[in-house]
């Protein structure tokens, strides 16, 4: 047995442990590794070379002790380095002169941008934004809106029913009913939200889509108010020279009803491929609230009148940004979406 060798190994391990504990960077640890375990000049390596000069009976114990110290120091170096990588101690391992990494930054979806812009224009006209549930009863979605349940729109084949009498709303109009049940006139609300229809998912249709509608109810509201409000909205959203055109239409919940066109924002009304040469682009449906709708919420249809309108922000976003396929808006492809950030 060579107590001298064992003692020197113990002293070396103690020294190495203290040095490693003081290390503050991966570089310092690497220097310590070379100093103690380096293949040629390492202190421990040198010591192990001396094992050969020991007697045959001393060599096994000293060799075992040397191996144990080598393993202990090596393990401690690795563990300490892992701790540094985990951020336990940064110190001078960080190069502050390197350029920073760009962080991910979220942005609003192009449809949300359009919804917010529309709401801002109507806010200037006194409209408040409200929301309602996307799962509705057939009474709110159809019956209260003067749409009988044998109407084609209420058919099983055209609507997503969740349970008998419960469905994914096919338009945002149930929120008109909920608003009128909760508040007395005057009412001026704007309702953005998702609506669901059993449409094919193709370039111009989506089974789940954003809708935005408005409702105004008060004494003495006429079709003139409807026209003036929507003309002001069109100028606010599409530019001061935009004009609107009303074409007769039919909706169960308004009477009279109209489709509303705006002068084409691309050609100014001269006619182009976007407006199919007509100079007009259809953007919404509108009309005076049907008295039957007022009756279903308990409003006095002799005293109050009102108008309602509804539009598809996705279509307006497509028109504004020149998006050729509605599916692009739902694919969540960052390469597409970051153009709008
Ligand atoms: Zn045009």
């Amino acid at each position: 047995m060579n107590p001298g060798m064992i003692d020197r190994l113990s002293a070396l391990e103690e020294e190495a442990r203290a040095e490693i504990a003081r290390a503050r960077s991966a570089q310092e640890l690497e220097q310590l590794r070379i100093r103690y375990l380096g293949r040629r000049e390492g202190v421990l390596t040198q010591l192990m070379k001396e094992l050969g000069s020991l007697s045959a009976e001393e060599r096994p114990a000293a060799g075992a002790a040397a191996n144990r110290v080598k393993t202990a120091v090596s393990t401690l170096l690795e563990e300490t380095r892992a701790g540094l990588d985990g951020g336990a101690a940064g110190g001078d391992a960080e190069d502050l002169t390197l350029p920073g990494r760009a962080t991910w930054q979220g942005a609003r979806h192009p449809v949300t941008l359009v919804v917010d812009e529309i709401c801002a224009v109507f806010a200037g006209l006194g409209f408040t934004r409200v929301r309602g549930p996307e799962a509705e009863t057939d009474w709110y979605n159809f019956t209260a809106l003067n749409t009988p349940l044998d109407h084609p729109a209420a058919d099983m084949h055209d609507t997503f029913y969740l349970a008998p009498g419960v469905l994914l709303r096919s338009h945002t109009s149930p929120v008109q009913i909920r608003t009128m049940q909760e508040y007395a006139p005057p009412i001026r609300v704007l309702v953005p939200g998702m609506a669901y229809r059993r449409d094919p998912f193709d370039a111009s249709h989506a089974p789940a889509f954003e809708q935005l509608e408005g409702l105004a109810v008060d004494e003495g509201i006429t079709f003139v108010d409807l026209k003036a409000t929507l003309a002001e909205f069109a100028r606010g959203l599409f530019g001061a020279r935009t004009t609107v055109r009303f074409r007769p239409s039919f909706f169960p919940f308004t009477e009279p009803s109209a489709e509303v066109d705006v002068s084409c924002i691309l050609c100014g009304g001269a006619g182009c491929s976007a407006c199919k040469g007509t100079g007009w682009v259809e953007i919404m449906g509108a009309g005076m609230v049907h008295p039957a709708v007022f009756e279903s919420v308990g409003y006095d249809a002799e005293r109050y009148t009102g108008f309602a309108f509804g539009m598809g922000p996705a279509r307006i976003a497509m028109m504004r940004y020149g998006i050729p396929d509605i599916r692009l808006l739902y694919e969540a492809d960052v390469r597409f979406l970051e153009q709008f950030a």
Side-chain angles (χ1 to χ4, degrees):
M1 201 62 193
N2 185 332
M5 177 59 102
I6 302 284
D7 287 348
R8 285 164 69 195
L9 282 166
S10 299
L12 187 66
E13 182 182 0
E14 203 171 311
E15 182 196 314
R17 284 184 181 279
E19 293 275 358
I20 292 168
R22 280 195 290 272
R24 284 291 174 270
S25 71
Q27 286 98 314
E28 285 180 40
L29 288 171
E30 178 61 12
Q31 283 162 10
L32 289 172
R33 189 192 66 75
I34 293 167
R35 181 160 133 208
Y36 287 102
L37 306 177
R39 200 167 293 180
R40 289 160 60 104
E41 304 297 325
V43 184
L44 188 60
T45 313
Q46 295 293 329
L47 212 53
M48 287 172 94
K49 279 179 186 162
E50 293 179 25
L51 291 173
S53 62
L54 297 176
S55 67
E57 59 220 42
E58 288 172 329
R59 212 178 297 151
N67 277 327
R68 190 192 59 73
V69 171
K70 186 182 176 184
T71 306
V73 171
S74 174
T75 305
L76 188 61
L77 282 166
E78 272 172 40
E79 286 172 357
T80 308
R81 178 192 287 263
L84 288 178
D85 288 347
D92 48 10
E94 289 170 20
D95 184 350
L96 299 179
T97 64
L98 285 172
R101 276 180 212 161
T103 52
W104 279 81
Q105 192 160 22
R108 283 178 296 170
H109 190 276
V111 173
T112 306
L113 290 173
V114 168
V115 168
D116 286 350
E117 206 172 321
I118 294 170
C119 288
V121 173
F122 276 105
L125 296 167
F127 284 75
T128 307
R129 199 194 283 222
V130 296
R131 303 198 81 110
E134 293 178 20
E136 272 292 4
T137 65
D138 53 13
W139 187 84
Y140 278 101
N141 197 79
F142 295 120
T143 315
L145 289 157
N146 197 35
T147 310
L149 288 176
D150 57 7
H151 189 280
D155 195 277
M156 291 292 285
H157 297 292
D158 284 322
T159 300
F160 293 110
Y161 283 88
L162 303 174
V166 182
L167 46 88
L168 291 175
R169 65 183 180 191
S170 59
H171 46 186
T172 44
S173 308
V175 186
Q176 291 187 22
I177 302 299
R178 291 182 176 276
T179 303
M180 288 190 283
Q181 283 181 326
E182 195 165 346
Y183 303 101
I187 279 176
R188 277 175 184 76
V189 291
L190 214 56
V191 188
M194 295 302 289
Y196 303 86
R197 289 179 197 173
R198 274 205 58 186
D199 279 339
F201 201 17
D202 60 26
S204 53
H205 298 84
F209 56 96
E210 183 85 15
Q211 197 173 51
L212 196 159
E213 69 178 69
L215 170 71
V217 182
D218 205 343
E219 290 181 46
I221 287 187
T222 70
F223 203 91
V224 173
D225 299 298
L226 167 61
K227 276 195 87 166
T229 300
L230 296 184
E232 182 62 25
F233 155 70
R235 287 191 290 268
L237 190 69
F238 298 113
R241 285 188 295 179
T242 308
T243 52
V244 291
R245 176 175 83 166
F246 288 70
R247 288 178 289 115
S249 186
F250 171 80
F251 304 108
F253 32 87
T254 47
E255 177 63 30
S257 304
E259 300 287 352
V260 183
D261 302 338
V262 293
S263 51
C264 178
I265 55 172
L266 295 178
C267 64
C272 69
S273 63
C275 57
K276 299 186 181 78
T278 64
W280 296 97
V281 179
E282 183 187 322
I283 59 158
M284 70 168 100
M288 301 303 290
V289 179
H290 198 290
V293 174
F294 285 149
E295 277 158 27
S296 64
V297 296
Y299 276 12
D300 181 353
E302 294 295 320
R303 182 177 169 194
Y304 295 111
T305 51
F307 61 81
F309 54 88
M311 63 190 107
R315 287 188 193 290
I316 293 174
M318 289 169 74
M319 180 169 74
R320 158 167 291 186
Y321 300 118
I323 299 167
D325 191 320
I326 200 170
R327 288 170 291 195
L328 287 165
L329 295 169
Y330 297 94
E331 284 169 354
D333 186 332
V334 173
R335 292 168 301 177
F336 168 74
L337 293 173
E338 65 187 0
Q339 301 174 79
F340 307 96

